[in-house]
Amino acid sequence: MTPRATYLDPKAVNSSSKLLLKQHLFSQLIGEWLRFVSTLIGVRVALSEGHVAITDARDGDHDGPHLKRGGHYKKIAKDVDLFVDCTDVNPGGVYVSAGSHPMWKLLGETWESMHPLCRWGGRFNDANHLSLEDEGVA
Ligand SMILES: [Zn+2]
């Protein structure tokens, strides 16, 4: 997939002052990725947890499944539930959580191809996690 979001120079983004631009980029890329998913027959996704409000971690409590200092606290991460084999008979399909599944590999690698900062959780045992890297954390 050819990345269309080229306005953020990957060489100039290792500064917190660039976080807003990363949030813009992430939102655009998620839209493009969802459009790609919609072209796949029998494949559907459900958007799951995205931004975790800053108040959730203000007291240092990172009790959720999200990585401390990770993208969920910076509006540059989204968890997505994947379903395959969706048909008229079984519209809900089959939930897929394993990053080793061929469809997750396709979708994760597509995400990674969209921008140099794109990170897919399938690389670290969290297949449904899509994010942008910021300060070395995905
Ligand atoms: Zn996540």
Side-chain angles (χ1 to χ4, degrees):
M1 171 175 262
T2 303
R4 292 174 46 215
T6 57
Y7 56 86
L8 184 58
D9 180 355
K11 293 185 294 293
V13 294
N14 246 347
S15 160
S16 59
S17 67
K18 302 293 186 194
L19 183 56
L20 178 61
L21 296 179
K22 284 186 178 179
Q23 292 167 344
H24 293 172
L25 175 65
F26 181 73
S27 298
Q28 180 177 340
L29 291 172
I30 282 289
E32 293 178 14
W33 184 83
L34 289 170
R35 184 176 309 166
F36 171 70
V37 172
S38 75
T39 67
L40 302 173
I41 295 171
V43 177
R44 295 179 182 162
V45 293
L47 299 178
S48 187
E49 194 152 20
H51 178 230
V52 176
I54 193 71
T55 53
D56 186 65
R58 184 174 293 164
D59 60 356
D61 176 18
H62 296 269
D63 60 350
H66 307 299
L67 188 66
K68 188 175 182 179
R69 300 190 309 111
H72 285 285
Y73 297 97
K74 299 175 180 177
K75 301 183 183 177
I76 54 172
K78 187 74 181 166
D79 295 337
V80 179
D81 296 336
L82 171 63
F83 301 86
V84 298
D85 299 331
C86 300
T87 65
D88 290 342
V89 175
N90 183 21
V94 178
Y95 174 64
V96 177
S97 61
S100 59
H101 188 282
M103 188 53 66
W104 252 135
K105 284 187 66 71
L106 172 66
L107 295 177
E109 290 172 1
T110 297
W111 173 254
E112 291 174 326
S113 76
M114 294 175 70
H115 193 277
L117 290 172
C118 287
R119 298 295 178 267
W120 171 45
R123 303 297 182 197
F124 43 88
N125 202 27
D126 189 11
N128 77 335
H129 177 91
L130 305 175
S131 65
L132 293 183
E133 182 179 316
D134 185 62
E135 298 179 324
V137 180

